[in-house]
Amino acid sequence: MDRDGLAEFLRVRREALQPTDVGLPAGLRRRTPGLRREEVASLATMSTDYYTRLEQGRGPRPSRAVLTGLARALRLSNDERGHLFRLAGEQPGPPPGPSVEVRTGVLRMLARLDVPGLVLDAKYDVLAWNPLAAALITDFSALPPRDRNLLRLRFLTDRQTELFGEQATREFARDAAADLRAATSTYPNDPALAQLVEDLVAGSPEFAEIWVRHEVGRQQTLCQTIFHPQVGRIDVICEVLVVPERDQRVVLYTAEPGSASEQAIRLLDVIGLQELTTGP
């Protein structure tokens, strides 16, 4: 165990976090940068005294459960989590599950984009999106958090088939199932991922048939033609940007400049989620 290295790492990571990063109010006066020790201790479900001793390099060797709590409280990436474990003299083992924290910079980028964009984790949960993505695909904010998942939309509803057509969604289904199979080996202990697979197998004969093939791979493209009920056909060019330290992907839907598809996206930007109706 590297006590001094662990202490310094905990202190630096604590000071790098702002209260708003972890859902806490900022408060009017904070004499120290970042989070307070008692806030980290509370988020990690341990006593403030125990955490303080760890940060001062005089605490006992933390258990794996304590390290897992600290990694969660400090919003560590998978690489940072592994470093934390090794400083404490432990092998990190598989991460508990895909990170659900989206970097502040990525959120700011989404908000400033003039094209539809969303952020996916390894199990295709939609973690963040901009208004244009909601207008293009679906109003994710109107769905329960559990249903904000592209695989649930594909296999357990008709929404994606209506948008993208049967051929495109058939290709997406096979690629996405192989991608999900890879995620199950990366996160073997994630209950949410296991539940997703169970629900898809039980609720979709199509997915169950694909799943038993044990195909494994990472999907590199999500490019498709969209048949939008309000603005018609949109030929999109998808750019998939990888955020490797969080195992997330930023999916951007663009169209050829000056094309009818680009004009359709601009129209979506104007009408948003409202329904287009024809007058008498």
Side-chain angles (χ1 to χ4, degrees):
M1 175 180 175
D2 182 355
R3 293 182 185 278
D4 292 340
L6 176 63
E8 183 178 4
F9 182 69
L10 291 174
R11 178 183 59 79
V12 170
R13 296 307 305 161
R14 173 177 62 81
E15 292 178 351
L17 278 177
Q18 298 303 313
T20 52
D21 294 333
V22 297
L24 296 174
L28 297 178
R29 293 184 179 179
R30 302 182 73 89
R31 292 180 295 178
T32 58
L35 297 180
R36 300 185 178 100
R37 286 172 176 168
E38 58 266 27
E39 291 171 333
V40 173
S42 176
L43 291 169
T45 62
M46 65 179 64
S47 71
T48 301
D49 178 67
Y50 182 30
Y51 175 77
T52 300
R53 284 186 287 145
L54 286 175
E55 197 175 289
Q56 292 176 344
R58 56 187 181 87
R61 180 174 176 172
S63 67
R64 296 182 67 85
V66 167
L67 293 171
T68 298
L70 287 171
R72 181 181 63 250
L74 295 171
R75 302 300 194 263
L76 301 184
S77 68
N78 289 339
D79 289 339
E80 292 166 340
R81 176 181 176 274
H83 182 62
L84 172 70
F85 272 69
R86 284 185 285 271
L87 286 173
E90 293 280 354
Q91 289 301 311
S99 173
V100 299
E101 300 296 328
V102 181
R103 286 188 349 215
T104 302
V106 173
L107 294 175
R108 289 173 181 163
M109 178 186 71
L110 277 184
R112 292 173 179 268
L113 288 174
D114 61 356
V115 299
L118 49 84
V119 181
L120 303 176
D121 70 4
K123 60 180 183 292
Y124 286 73
D125 277 352
V126 181
L127 304 179
W129 60 92
N130 60 14
L132 258 176
L136 180 69
I137 301 173
T138 193
D139 183 6
F140 295 105
S141 65
L143 300 175
R146 162 188 163 106
D147 292 338
R148 296 171 190 168
N149 179 281
L150 294 190
L151 298 184
R152 290 186 184 276
L153 289 174
R154 167 59 182 88
F155 291 105
L156 302 181
T157 75
D158 295 327
R159 176 62 179 168
Q160 282 197 312
T161 302
E162 293 171 355
L163 273 178
F164 300 110
E166 290 187 7
Q167 178 61 33
T169 53
R170 193 178 303 115
E171 295 173 359
F172 168 79
R174 180 172 178 176
D175 290 344
D179 205 351
L180 191 64
R181 176 72 73 176
T184 61
S185 62
T186 304
Y187 306 101
N189 301 320
D190 180 24
L193 180 55
Q195 186 64 58
L196 172 64
V197 172
E198 181 180 333
D199 291 347
L200 293 174
V201 169
S204 170
E206 179 188 9
F207 179 84
E209 179 183 349
I210 297 172
W211 190 248
V212 296
R213 300 176 191 170
H214 284 263
E215 295 176 335
V216 181
R218 287 293 188 181
Q219 185 166 5
Q220 300 298 318
T221 177
L222 298 172
C223 299
Q224 295 176 3
T225 296
I226 297 173
F227 301 94
H228 196 277
Q230 272 75 51
V231 300
R233 173 173 175 154
I234 309 175
D235 295 314
V236 294
I237 306 166
C238 291
E239 295 292 342
V240 181
L241 311 179
V242 178
V243 186
E245 72 274 14
R246 304 205 177 185
D247 200 4
Q248 295 172 356
R249 280 168 284 186
V250 182
V251 182
L252 307 178
Y253 298 87
T254 67
E256 193 70 30
S259 65
S261 294
E262 185 186 45
Q263 294 174 12
I265 291 177
R266 297 282 70 80
L267 179 56
L268 277 180
D269 196 13
V270 174
I271 67 175
L273 293 172
Q274 64 182 312
E275 294 289 335
L276 284 181
T277 57
T278 55

